[in-house]
Short mmCIF file of all heavy atoms in Angstrom, two decimals:
data_model
loop_
_atom_site.label_atom_id
_atom_site.label_comp_id
_atom_site.label_asym_id
_atom_site.label_seq_id
_atom_site.Cartn_x
_atom_site.Cartn_y
_atom_site.Cartn_z
N ASP A 335 3.22 -59.53 -18.07
CA ASP A 335 2.33 -58.50 -17.52
C ASP A 335 1.09 -58.26 -18.35
O ASP A 335 0.10 -57.70 -17.80
CB ASP A 335 3.09 -57.16 -17.38
CG ASP A 335 4.16 -57.26 -16.29
OD1 ASP A 335 4.01 -58.09 -15.37
OD2 ASP A 335 5.08 -56.44 -16.36
N ILE A 336 1.11 -58.59 -19.64
CA ILE A 336 -0.02 -58.30 -20.50
C ILE A 336 -0.68 -59.57 -20.96
O ILE A 336 -1.84 -59.85 -20.64
CB ILE A 336 0.39 -57.43 -21.70
CG1 ILE A 336 0.99 -56.08 -21.24
CG2 ILE A 336 -0.78 -57.15 -22.62
CD1 ILE A 336 1.53 -55.20 -22.31
N TRP A 337 0.05 -60.40 -21.69
CA TRP A 337 -0.54 -61.62 -22.25
C TRP A 337 -1.07 -62.59 -21.18
O TRP A 337 -2.17 -63.05 -21.25
CB TRP A 337 0.46 -62.29 -23.16
CG TRP A 337 -0.01 -63.60 -23.80
CD1 TRP A 337 0.46 -64.83 -23.54
CD2 TRP A 337 -1.13 -63.76 -24.73
NE1 TRP A 337 -0.22 -65.77 -24.31
CE2 TRP A 337 -1.20 -65.13 -25.04
CE3 TRP A 337 -1.99 -62.85 -25.35
CZ2 TRP A 337 -2.15 -65.62 -25.90
CZ3 TRP A 337 -2.91 -63.38 -26.24
CH2 TRP A 337 -2.99 -64.76 -26.51
N SER A 338 -0.22 -62.84 -20.20
CA SER A 338 -0.61 -63.79 -19.15
C SER A 338 -1.79 -63.30 -18.37
O SER A 338 -2.68 -64.07 -18.00
CB SER A 338 0.57 -64.05 -18.19
OG SER A 338 1.59 -64.72 -18.81
N ARG A 339 -1.85 -62.01 -18.15
CA ARG A 339 -3.01 -61.45 -17.40
C ARG A 339 -4.28 -61.50 -18.25
O ARG A 339 -5.36 -61.78 -17.72
CB ARG A 339 -2.74 -60.00 -17.03
CG ARG A 339 -1.60 -59.87 -15.98
CD ARG A 339 -1.11 -58.39 -15.85
NE ARG A 339 0.13 -58.30 -15.11
CZ ARG A 339 0.19 -58.03 -13.82
NH1 ARG A 339 -0.95 -57.80 -13.14
NH2 ARG A 339 1.36 -57.97 -13.22
N LEU A 340 -4.16 -61.25 -19.55
CA LEU A 340 -5.33 -61.34 -20.40
C LEU A 340 -5.84 -62.81 -20.45
O LEU A 340 -7.05 -63.00 -20.59
CB LEU A 340 -4.97 -60.88 -21.82
CG LEU A 340 -4.68 -59.37 -21.99
CD1 LEU A 340 -4.29 -59.05 -23.39
CD2 LEU A 340 -5.89 -58.56 -21.56
N ARG A 341 -4.99 -63.74 -20.36
CA ARG A 341 -5.38 -65.12 -20.37
C ARG A 341 -5.77 -65.62 -18.98
O ARG A 341 -6.19 -66.79 -18.83
CB ARG A 341 -4.24 -66.00 -20.84
CG ARG A 341 -3.92 -65.81 -22.33
CD ARG A 341 -2.66 -66.58 -22.73
NE ARG A 341 -2.86 -68.01 -22.51
CZ ARG A 341 -1.97 -68.76 -21.86
NH1 ARG A 341 -0.83 -68.26 -21.43
NH2 ARG A 341 -2.19 -70.05 -21.71
N GLY A 342 -5.71 -64.74 -18.00
CA GLY A 342 -6.09 -65.13 -16.64
C GLY A 342 -5.12 -66.14 -16.04
O GLY A 342 -5.57 -66.96 -15.20
N ALA A 343 -3.86 -66.11 -16.45
CA ALA A 343 -2.95 -67.14 -16.02
C ALA A 343 -1.80 -66.57 -15.09
O ALA A 343 -0.74 -67.13 -14.98
CB ALA A 343 -2.29 -67.78 -17.20
N VAL A 344 -2.10 -65.46 -14.43
CA VAL A 344 -1.07 -64.87 -13.57
C VAL A 344 -0.69 -65.83 -12.48
O VAL A 344 0.49 -66.06 -12.14
CB VAL A 344 -1.57 -63.53 -13.03
CG1 VAL A 344 -0.51 -62.95 -12.06
CG2 VAL A 344 -1.86 -62.55 -14.11
N THR A 345 -1.67 -66.49 -11.87
CA THR A 345 -1.40 -67.41 -10.74
C THR A 345 -1.96 -68.76 -11.02
O THR A 345 -1.84 -69.65 -10.20
CB THR A 345 -2.08 -66.90 -9.46
OG1 THR A 345 -3.49 -66.72 -9.64
CG2 THR A 345 -1.47 -65.56 -9.03
N GLY A 346 -2.48 -68.94 -12.24
CA GLY A 346 -3.15 -70.24 -12.51
C GLY A 346 -2.22 -71.33 -13.02
O GLY A 346 -2.60 -72.51 -13.03
N GLY A 347 -1.00 -70.96 -13.44
CA GLY A 347 -0.07 -71.97 -14.00
C GLY A 347 0.61 -72.78 -12.96
O GLY A 347 0.57 -72.47 -11.77
N GLN A 348 1.24 -73.82 -13.38
CA GLN A 348 2.04 -74.65 -12.47
C GLN A 348 3.40 -74.08 -12.32
O GLN A 348 4.15 -73.92 -13.32
CB GLN A 348 2.10 -76.11 -13.01
CG GLN A 348 0.77 -76.80 -13.06
CD GLN A 348 0.15 -76.96 -11.69
OE1 GLN A 348 0.83 -77.29 -10.71
NE2 GLN A 348 -1.15 -76.71 -11.54
N GLU A 349 3.86 -73.75 -11.11
CA GLU A 349 5.15 -73.16 -10.87
C GLU A 349 6.30 -74.03 -11.33
O GLU A 349 7.33 -73.57 -11.70
CB GLU A 349 5.31 -72.83 -9.45
CG GLU A 349 4.37 -71.68 -8.95
CD GLU A 349 4.62 -70.38 -9.63
OE1 GLU A 349 5.79 -70.07 -9.95
OE2 GLU A 349 3.66 -69.64 -9.87
N GLY A 350 6.09 -75.35 -11.34
CA GLY A 350 7.15 -76.24 -11.72
C GLY A 350 7.42 -76.33 -13.17
O GLY A 350 8.43 -76.96 -13.59
N GLU A 351 6.58 -75.84 -14.02
CA GLU A 351 6.72 -75.94 -15.46
C GLU A 351 7.59 -74.84 -16.00
O GLU A 351 7.20 -74.09 -16.93
CB GLU A 351 5.34 -75.95 -16.15
CG GLU A 351 4.50 -77.16 -15.73
CD GLU A 351 3.15 -77.14 -16.36
OE1 GLU A 351 2.83 -76.15 -17.10
OE2 GLU A 351 2.35 -78.09 -16.23
N ASP A 352 8.78 -74.68 -15.50
CA ASP A 352 9.69 -73.65 -15.90
C ASP A 352 10.12 -73.80 -17.38
O ASP A 352 10.31 -72.85 -18.04
CB ASP A 352 10.93 -73.62 -14.97
CG ASP A 352 10.63 -72.76 -13.74
OD1 ASP A 352 9.54 -72.17 -13.68
OD2 ASP A 352 11.48 -72.74 -12.83
N ARG A 353 10.30 -75.05 -17.78
CA ARG A 353 10.76 -75.29 -19.17
C ARG A 353 9.77 -74.72 -20.13
O ARG A 353 10.11 -74.14 -21.14
CB ARG A 353 11.04 -76.77 -19.43
CG ARG A 353 12.26 -77.28 -18.67
CD ARG A 353 12.52 -78.74 -18.99
NE ARG A 353 13.62 -79.26 -18.22
CZ ARG A 353 14.90 -79.21 -18.65
NH1 ARG A 353 15.16 -78.68 -19.83
NH2 ARG A 353 15.86 -79.71 -17.94
N ASP A 354 8.46 -74.93 -19.88
CA ASP A 354 7.44 -74.41 -20.77
C ASP A 354 7.48 -72.85 -20.71
O ASP A 354 7.24 -72.24 -21.74
CB ASP A 354 6.06 -74.92 -20.32
CG ASP A 354 5.86 -76.39 -20.64
OD1 ASP A 354 6.59 -76.90 -21.50
OD2 ASP A 354 5.05 -77.01 -19.96
N GLU A 355 7.69 -72.28 -19.53
CA GLU A 355 7.77 -70.83 -19.45
C GLU A 355 8.97 -70.27 -20.17
O GLU A 355 8.93 -69.19 -20.74
CB GLU A 355 7.80 -70.44 -17.93
CG GLU A 355 6.51 -70.73 -17.20
CD GLU A 355 6.45 -70.02 -15.90
OE1 GLU A 355 6.51 -68.78 -15.85
OE2 GLU A 355 6.40 -70.69 -14.86
N VAL A 356 10.09 -71.03 -20.22
CA VAL A 356 11.23 -70.61 -21.00
C VAL A 356 10.82 -70.57 -22.46
O VAL A 356 11.13 -69.61 -23.19
CB VAL A 356 12.40 -71.60 -20.79
CG1 VAL A 356 13.51 -71.34 -21.83
CG2 VAL A 356 12.97 -71.43 -19.37
N ARG A 357 10.15 -71.60 -22.93
CA ARG A 357 9.72 -71.63 -24.30
C ARG A 357 8.80 -70.45 -24.63
O ARG A 357 8.90 -69.83 -25.69
CB ARG A 357 9.01 -72.94 -24.62
CG ARG A 357 8.52 -73.13 -26.06
CD ARG A 357 7.92 -74.47 -26.26
NE ARG A 357 7.44 -74.62 -27.63
CZ ARG A 357 6.19 -74.34 -27.99
NH1 ARG A 357 5.32 -73.90 -27.06
NH2 ARG A 357 5.75 -74.53 -29.23
N GLY A 358 7.81 -70.16 -23.74
CA GLY A 358 6.91 -69.02 -23.98
C GLY A 358 7.64 -67.71 -24.00
O GLY A 358 7.39 -66.88 -24.91
#
Side-chain angles (χ1 to χ4, degrees):
D335 291 337
I336 300 175
W337 177 248
S338 292
R339 293 165 192 264
L340 292 176
R341 292 174 58 227
V344 177
T345 58
Q348 296 296 318
E349 292 296 326
E351 296 179 355
D352 274 354
R353 289 181 182 271
D354 290 337
E355 292 194 61
V356 169
R357 180 175 178 270

